[in-house]
Amino acid sequence: MTVTGRVDIVGGGPGALDLMTVRAWRLLARADVVVMDRLGPTDIDELLGPGVEIIDVGKHPGHHPVPQDEINAILVARARDGMRVVRLKGGDPFVFGRGGEEVAACRAAGVPVEVVPGVTSAVAVPEAAGIPVTHRGLSSGFHVVNGQAELTPSTLAALADDAVTTVVLMGVSALPRLIAAALRAGAKPERPVAIVESGHTPSQRTTRTTLGAAVTAAAIAGVRNPAVIVIGEVAREGLLDGLALVSGASVDRQAG
Ligand code: SAH
């Protein structure tokens, strides 16, 4: 069977519409169907043509309203119906986004599929709080982990290495376990920690603390998902004062 439709797996960035790529905007403007998540840009109506079908498969931490198999099946079925499907995902599709599985499902079904990179929260959310994931003289590399996964030896090594930044996604509920493991692995309790919630949105908030105090600080602040946790010298308060990239503020300033 020749498939006339297609699927584009599109990275939508951390949430602001103007942090999507031009290619993402173009594909959305031509889409027949958009299959979207809870994270990333949700307010996309103005980018779509008339009569576009929107399917929300948004996942919430702890439960998955639409299982991955079903999402894959929706993508394949709509493309087989001859439709141009945009699978819009938060951040970048290949950073904890299960984009690879969706590509594989389309390929297995003979559906043409392409991937569009997105601005990943692993870098852009710390950035929104003025935190560079690397910084000459402070951090020579960064290690990105899923807080829900088992801690590997390389993550423990990164946590204990003063010259490496650790960036944790999906880490809010795992924070106590993570911190305990880091301290056991030899990380210093005074190592700076920043927790950035809802980066690049109007409700962005940053909690600055240290490894030793992070669990208490997060509880007092009532830290909630989505949040990116940054562990390392770059997370120290005041490193780059005045850098604010929140919600298009810098664009507005330039325009004004
Ligand atoms: N593919 C995505 C990550 C998906 S995992 C990317 O590249 O960004 C989902 C996790 O991403 C969340 O639990 C949170 O840790 C992080 N995240 C995504 N958007 C965020 C935002 N706007 N603010 C803070 N964290 C965010």
Side-chain angles (χ1 to χ4, degrees), residues 14 39 90-92 95-97 120-122 125 168-170 196-199 201 225-228:
L39 286 179
D92 184 273
V95 179
F96 304 131
T120 181
S121 65
V125 168
V168 186
L169 305 192
M170 297 175 275
V196 189
E197 297 165 78
S198 298
T201 75
N225 286 307
V228 171

